[in-house]
Amino acid sequence: LKSARAPVGFVWISLLFVASASAHAGLTIVAAENFYGDVARQLGPADARVLDVLSKPDADPHLYEPSPSVARDIARADLVIYNGLNYDPWMTLLLATTRGSPQRRVISAALLLRKGSSADNPHLWYDPATMPLVAGAVSREMQALDPTDPAGYAQRLQRFLAAMRQVDARVAGLRSRYAGQPVAATEPICDYLIAAIGLEAHDRRFQLATMNNTEPSARDIGAFEDELRHARVRALIYNRQATNSAVERLIRIARESNVPVVGVSETEPAGLSYQQWMLSELDALEHALARGGP
Ligand SMILES: [Zn+2]
């Protein structure tokens, strides 16, 4: 039996070698963040290859440094998608220093949205208006590179935009019930979503300090803890990807004070599409808002 198996294994290894050695025929897309990569996967043809750089939901993207393999991927890419607004400064640097193919196209979500001020919050994908715009640009650029099946591109884009209208409907529903209600957040990660729902985010100075990995002042920490202790907010939102002892303490105080705690993430969790991810976070937020009342 053993001798019969050996040739099969040998054939498999040879096939794998041939497959990896031959050039990829379809488009190669590199996305700095996996949610942009997910959109490209949903909109592109089946033979498009999409590589995500930031995809670990347990790492802090603000502290990321790329490996040499990322530079090689970017050099081979037909299309590069990144966030901009200094969220992924390594990508701007790699695009400037790697020689790519002359036909390479680049999409920056920040440029598409005409955001460029250092005061703009970089977590653009939490704005329900962002992904339909990014999707339109991604679909257009992929078609320009690979103009074989316009009907297929149009159909996939329509399907994506229809899914995004579901997200918009959920946001509108929450807005009609909870606009003007106060919430606390440890980081300004889903600011755009909070604003779209019309919630009022407190503790801004503390949030910026956490995002920038600097120390919030004792006064800001005290004010934040006080709000939670007196349950003056309907929920505490924290970033699952960047907790520290100060954030853990706030979560504990919120739980002791019966303020609902909602964890959100910067990076798309494995197994969920962008629209499923947003809907699941809206579910969690709705659950908290329904429960927590100042
Ligand atoms: Zn962040």
Side-chain angles (χ1 to χ4, degrees), residues 17-36:
F17 181 74
V18 169
S20 63
S22 67
H24 178 73
L27 295 175
T28 297
I29 295 126
V30 174
E33 293 82 17
N34 69 349
F35 32 86
Y36 297 128

Side-chain angles (χ1 to χ4, degrees), residues 26-93:
L27 295 175
T28 297
I29 295 126
V30 174
E33 293 82 17
N34 69 349
F35 32 86
Y36 297 128
D38 175 29
V39 171
R41 251 174 234 110
Q42 294 189 49
L43 298 174
D47 66 351
R49 187 173 58 158
V50 183
L51 307 165
D52 301 326
V53 180
L54 289 170
S55 59
K56 284 202 198 88
D58 55 351
D60 185 347
H62 295 268
L63 304 175
Y64 175 79
E65 285 185 40
S67 62
S69 71
V70 175
R72 285 196 293 274
D73 290 339
I74 288 167
R76 278 195 296 254
D78 301 298
L79 172 63
V80 174
I81 314 165
Y82 73 109
N83 186 73
L85 273 182
N86 224 23
Y87 185 73
D88 37 21
W90 47 269
M91 181 58 99
T92 324
L93 193 70

Side-chain angles (χ1 to χ4, degrees), residues 60-62 87 122-123 125 187-189 211 239 266:
D60 185 347
H62 295 268
Y87 185 73
H123 306 91
W125 58 100
E187 259 190 78
I189 172 173
M211 181 180 91
N239 180 1
E266 302 218 20

Side-chain angles (χ1 to χ4, degrees), residues 92-116:
T92 324
L93 193 70
L94 286 176
L95 283 170
T97 53
T98 56
R99 210 164 19 155
S101 94
Q103 59 155 10
R104 181 175 75 191
R105 287 161 189 257
V106 176
I107 295 172
S108 146
L111 283 178
L112 262 183
L113 295 155
R114 297 175 199 283
K115 287 196 191 271

Side-chain angles (χ1 to χ4, degrees), residues 93-221:
L93 193 70
L94 286 176
L95 283 170
T97 53
T98 56
R99 210 164 19 155
S101 94
Q103 59 155 10
R104 181 175 75 191
R105 287 161 189 257
V106 176
I107 295 172
S108 146
L111 283 178
L112 262 183
L113 295 155
R114 297 175 199 283
K115 287 196 191 271
S117 145
S118 58
D120 286 328
N121 184 312
H123 306 91
L124 300 171
W125 58 100
Y126 265 99
D127 185 339
T130 296
M131 276 316 183
L133 276 175
V134 170
V138 168
S139 186
R140 247 187 338 268
E141 296 294 11
M142 283 197 292
Q143 274 190 84
L145 290 158
D146 163 42
T148 48
D149 176 24
Y153 278 105
Q155 193 186 35
R156 291 187 294 271
L157 179 61
Q158 285 319 311
R159 196 166 53 207
F160 181 80
L161 295 177
M164 285 309 298
R165 281 194 289 275
Q166 260 181 287
V167 175
D168 290 341
R170 286 296 302 281
V171 169
L174 287 173
R175 187 178 182 91
S176 68
R177 271 170 292 158
Y178 300 110
Q181 295 290 328
V183 293
T186 60
E187 259 190 78
I189 172 173
C190 55
D191 252 17
Y192 291 112
L193 195 60
I194 288 173
I197 298 169
L199 297 169
E200 258 178 60
H202 288 189
D203 316 296
R204 307 219 59 93
R205 282 203 304 269
F206 181 96
Q207 292 185 41
L208 289 173
T210 316
M211 181 180 91
N212 297 325
N213 290 296
T214 58
E215 203 62 47
S217 75
R219 198 174 143 196
D220 292 341
I221 296 173

